[in-house]
Amino acid sequence: MSTKEQRRQKKLAKKRSKEIAKRKEIAREKNSLQSLAGQIKAAAGGPVDRCLISDMLIDPASKFGSVFISRKMRDGRVAIVKFLIDGLCMGVKDVAAFVCFPADQSRIVEEMGESEPMREASPAKARSLVEGAIAYAEQFKIEPHADYRKIEPIWGDIDKSEFTDEIAFGDEEGKPRYVNGPYDSVLFQQQIREKLQTHAGEGNYNIVTMMSEPDMVPYDGLVEGEDWSDDPELDADIDEDVVDGKVVRNPNS
């Protein structure tokens, strides 16, 4: 084979290699978008559409409420994430995330405001609140809700340093105050008590026990008929929430 032909063959091989790599990249992107986690990650590059904070969350007497953020996606939909924040002790108590159309988002925000007054906030403030609550809880070895890491990419390039106000967590003395939720099991409550005893110390935390019965059925995973999808680009834990872009959870539940 002549030198000229060898060079031509090398160029062709290089071109084929690039084409194969491109096809693999497209396939990976397509696969990732089959999962909710993949859609949230993709949406992180889009502009922030809505950002809301609960009035109760910034109330010094409560420090418990929601943070709502959405981003526009390239296909015209919006990716929504809602965090339930316990600024007194637990950090991120719960999360909900899904993808929908703007009209659905407007309805959701309206309905959410009926049960929990919300106000517009800067994305930097929202991120500071959420991550500050996480950092506070982690002092006592209390981790954020298990699903938080799956949807954490929604923050994208939001720079929380743009919000410079100080946010105080814990009670009026800065101590953690654990208030049990209606679905916190006896075992879970005991685990939180032990963590506070170990990492805060005797006399440096407070426990408030609520005895009321829940008036709602807790979310218990996917509803019947929803499909599970595989995403080879994401870990197995993230794959557990795959629903082919369907609503995973109503943020008002």
Side-chain angles (χ1 to χ4, degrees):
M1 183 183 297
S2 67
T3 302
K4 183 177 180 180
E5 180 62 19
Q6 287 178 345
R7 286 198 297 267
R8 191 181 77 84
Q9 291 294 335
K10 287 182 179 180
K11 287 182 179 179
L12 289 174
K14 187 176 182 180
K15 183 178 180 181
R16 284 195 295 269
S17 179
K18 288 182 177 179
E19 290 175 346
I20 292 172
K22 183 63 175 178
R23 287 198 294 270
K24 287 183 177 180
E25 181 181 350
I26 293 173
R28 283 194 296 269
E29 182 178 355
K30 182 178 180 181
N31 286 335
S32 69
L33 291 176
Q34 295 301 307
S35 74
L36 179 64
Q39 291 179 10
I40 295 296
K41 185 176 181 180
V48 173
D49 189 41
R50 300 292 303 273
C51 187
L52 306 167
I53 291 176
S54 167
D55 285 348
M56 292 189 298
L57 182 57
I58 56 178
D59 180 352
S62 171
K63 295 184 181 178
F64 188 92
S66 300
V67 172
F68 177 100
I69 185 169
S70 65
R71 285 183 180 269
K72 295 180 180 179
M73 301 181 70
R74 288 187 296 179
D75 63 3
R77 295 180 299 167
V78 290
I80 292 174
V81 174
K82 181 185 176 186
F83 308 91
L84 182 61
I85 305 299
D86 175 5
L88 288 173
C89 180
M90 297 294 292
V92 176
K93 182 86 172 179
D94 199 3
V95 296
F98 59 95
V99 173
C100 67
F101 289 100
D104 296 318
Q105 176 182 232
S106 297
R107 174 182 54 79
I108 289 166
V109 170
E110 182 179 354
E111 292 176 353
M112 183 171 61
E114 293 175 357
S115 59
E116 183 180 14
M118 307 286 288
R119 65 177 63 189
E120 297 284 348
S122 71
K125 181 176 182 178
R127 185 169 190 173
S128 293
L129 271 167
V130 173
E131 295 186 348
I134 291 173
Y136 180 79
E138 286 180 338
Q139 295 180 79
F140 316 111
K141 305 302 179 183
I142 299 173
E143 297 295 323
H145 188 278
D147 290 336
Y148 176 76
R149 301 304 176 189
K150 303 174 188 179
I151 50 79
E152 184 179 17
I154 193 68
W155 297 122
D157 59 356
I158 295 172
D159 184 2
K160 66 179 180 181
S161 68
E162 294 178 358
F163 179 75
T164 57
D165 292 355
E166 184 177 350
I167 303 174
F169 297 98
D171 64 15
E172 61 276 3
E173 297 180 346
K175 299 178 182 179
R177 179 191 297 161
Y178 171 58
V179 182
N180 66 294
Y183 308 121
D184 291 352
S185 67
V186 173
L187 175 61
F188 179 80
Q189 294 178 48
Q190 181 60 34
Q191 290 172 338
I192 296 301
R193 288 189 177 91
E194 291 175 357
K195 289 182 178 182
L196 292 176
Q197 178 65 30
T198 300
H199 303 289
E202 185 69 34
N204 294 318
Y205 65 92
N206 293 295
I207 301 288
V208 178
T209 302
M210 306 297 289
M211 303 302 293
S212 60
E213 292 294 326
D215 58 3
M216 296 172 62
V217 177
Y219 177 76
D220 191 27
L222 300 176
V223 299
E224 185 177 356
E226 288 185 331
D227 298 324
W228 292 62
S229 301
D230 293 325
D231 182 353
E233 296 301 308
L234 301 172
D235 59 45
D237 187 37
I238 289 177
D239 281 340
E240 292 176 354
D241 277 345
V242 173
V243 292
D244 285 338
K246 298 178 183 177
V247 173
V248 169
R249 191 172 180 186
N250 190 316
N252 293 307
S253 62

